[in-house]
Amino acid sequence: MSVHNENIKKVTARHLSKMKAEGEKIAMTTAYDFSMATLIDGAGIDVILVGDSASNVMAGNGSTLPITVEQMIYHAQCVVRAVKRAHVVVDMPFGSYQISTELGVANAVRIIKESGADSLKIEGGEEYINVIKQIVNAGIPVMGHLGLMPQSINKYGSYAIRAKEDKEAEKLMSDAKLLEEAGCYAIVLEKIPATLAKRVAESVNIPIIGIGAGHEVDGQVLVMQDMLGITQNFSPKFVRKYANIGETITNAMQAYISDVKDSSFPNEDEEY
Ligand code: KIV
């Protein structure tokens, strides 16, 4: 069964805007390594995000703040080696673009040059508009990210829903327009009211990809470990579990351990 447009050989930022124009929804998820990226790309996903959520789900940190440019490049290289069709976008990690425009552009060029990824994602609106413009001017497509921005966790103090109040909602609307004017090719909206996400999607021409932002946007993104049931003890209502891989792994490992302990593995067919 094919669930994607087979005419597209490699998904580009242009394809994504055409998908919005034609009302085709964009499916996006995360990947951080070769094996998973091979499976996800083979399934026909449109966009793979090498998210800085690698800091949580791969490295076991409590936030996205510790992950470095070098670590993001490593994860992106592993994913790029696997992917044939999907658009590969990489998160610029905390500290890589906040210090100065010059350093932001240098890090952006380095991540693209060393990983071979297709584009970058940057959290923030007006505050980072200059660095975003300069990265776009350097020829690198940029995906924006508004709403809950995990790199600003110390400013927010929690991962609760954002932009419920009018003032923050209006700033988000205005930031989305600024990001479009700055040349961003798409924007992720994380954990905001569905009505606001719909307004944003209707007010800009670039694709809006939601995570916890309702269905009236141009696409959806979920962290792969969350949607496949690998992440333990994390089940916000916006995550739909498409598999229970965590349980499958536990059961498989227990069966293996038991077979080793009682000497039923390997059997005669499994030895030389
Ligand atoms: O890093 C990440 O996985 C993300 C998604 C939550 C959109 O930014």
Side-chain angles (χ1 to χ4, degrees), residues 147-169:
L148 176 62
M149 293 177 277
Q151 291 181 16
S152 301
I153 180 60
N154 290 335
K155 181 168 127 192
Y156 298 145
S158 90
Y159 291 102
I161 181 167
R162 303 302 313 173
K164 274 166 76 178
E165 309 300 331
D166 286 353
K167 196 167 163 220
E168 196 181 340

Side-chain angles (χ1 to χ4, degrees), residues 129-141:
I129 217 69
N130 287 336
V131 67
I132 290 171
K133 276 187 193 158
Q134 291 310 313
I135 293 171
V136 172
N137 284 346
I140 300 171

Side-chain angles (χ1 to χ4, degrees), residues 1-268:
M1 181 189 63
S2 174
V3 289
H4 66 272
N5 184 341
E6 288 179 336
N7 295 324
I8 301 179
K9 294 276 172 278
K10 170 78 186 170
V11 181
T12 63
R14 275 174 174 232
H15 284 124
L16 300 175
S17 45
K18 195 158 168 261
M19 285 166 81
K20 171 166 179 142
E22 293 174 355
E24 181 184 345
K25 297 272 185 168
I26 297 164
M28 168 166 155
T29 187
T30 62
Y32 320 92
D33 70 278
F34 181 85
S35 311
M36 290 304 291
T38 303
L39 291 170
I40 293 167
D41 186 52
I45 201 90
D46 298 309
V47 183
I48 293 183
L49 168 65
V50 183
D52 58 358
S53 48
S55 179
N56 307 82
V57 296
M58 300 303 287
N61 293 311
S63 77
T64 59
L65 302 184
I67 200 158
T68 64
V69 168
E70 287 72 21
Q71 288 165 337
M72 289 304 298
I73 290 173
Y74 169 75
H75 287 296
Q77 286 170 336
C78 299
V79 169
V80 167
R81 265 180 228 123
V83 170
K84 295 188 169 61
R85 179 183 178 275
H87 183 86
V88 179
V89 51
V90 183
D91 262 329
M92 287 201 67
F94 178 64
S96 67
Y97 61 94
Q98 287 88 348
I99 296 164
S100 70
T101 299
E102 205 177 322
L103 187 60
V105 177
N107 280 321
V109 169
R110 182 175 169 210
I111 295 171
I112 292 293
K113 202 186 253 297
E114 294 184 25
S115 71
D118 302 309
S119 68
L120 298 173
K121 178 162 81 57
I122 295 180
E123 291 182 13
E126 192 188 358
E127 303 77 6
Y128 298 111
I129 217 69
N130 287 336
V131 67
I132 290 171
K133 276 187 193 158
Q134 291 310 313
I135 293 171
V136 172
N137 284 346
I140 300 171
V142 174
M143 178 182 278
H145 182 149
L146 299 171
L148 176 62
M149 293 177 277
Q151 291 181 16
S152 301
I153 180 60
N154 290 335
K155 181 168 127 192
Y156 298 145
S158 90
Y159 291 102
I161 181 167
R162 303 302 313 173
K164 274 166 76 178
E165 309 300 331
D166 286 353
K167 196 167 163 220
E168 196 181 340
E170 290 322 308
K171 164 138 177 33
L172 190 147
M173 284 291 296
S174 129
D175 278 344
K177 289 194 182 128
L178 284 177
L179 290 176
E180 180 177 36
E181 282 160 22
C184 285
Y185 71 89
I187 302 172
V188 165
L189 292 184
E190 181 164 354
K191 222 171 172 189
I192 63 165
T195 46
L196 175 61
K198 176 176 188 272
R199 269 177 69 206
V200 177
E202 287 169 352
S203 70
V204 296
N205 291 314
I206 55 176
I208 297 298
I209 300 174
I211 171 163
H215 72 280
E216 290 187 282
V217 288
D218 308 302
Q220 298 293 328
V221 55
L222 285 174
V223 170
M224 176 261 291
Q225 276 80 354
D226 300 344
M227 64 181 290
L228 296 184
I230 297 170
T231 312
Q232 304 293 302
N233 308 319
F234 179 69
S235 47
K237 73 172 183 177
F238 66 81
V239 173
R240 186 179 293 178
K241 273 197 192 171
Y242 286 86
N244 201 343
I245 307 281
E247 197 177 295
T248 305
I249 291 175
T250 303
N251 290 341
M253 283 299 160
Q254 286 177 343
Y256 169 67
I257 293 164
S258 160
D259 287 355
V260 170
K261 300 277 179 197
D262 68 13
S263 296
S264 59
F265 173 79
N267 61 27
E268 280 178 10

